[in-house]
Amino acid sequence: NATLRFRWEEVGGPPVSPPTRTGFGTRLIARSLAHSFGGTAQLSYPTTGAVLTFEAPLAAVTAG
């Protein structure tokens, strides 16, 4: 089965540190993407910039 793998990585900005709490936007991204497409979404916060990794079955993403 074909899989879509998407990675958004921020670079060139000020140093990043992990948030002390999970806000609405973070929950919206992680839960909505994963639930809507039957995949997974992960956010990480290396000092170089925030990173979002999303993976889902390609058929679920292209259906519409």
Side-chain angles (χ1 to χ4, degrees), residues 40-52:
T40 61
Q42 296 179 350
L43 284 162
S44 61
Y45 302 92
T47 57
T48 54
V51 176
L52 167 68

Side-chain angles (χ1 to χ4, degrees), residues 3-8 29-30 32-42 52-57 61:
T3 301
L4 170 72
R5 289 184 181 96
F6 175 85
R7 179 180 168 101
W8 174 271
I29 291 169
S32 293
L33 281 175
H35 178 74
S36 295
F37 299 109
T40 61
Q42 296 179 350
L52 167 68
T53 305
F54 171 68
E55 189 171 310
V61 178

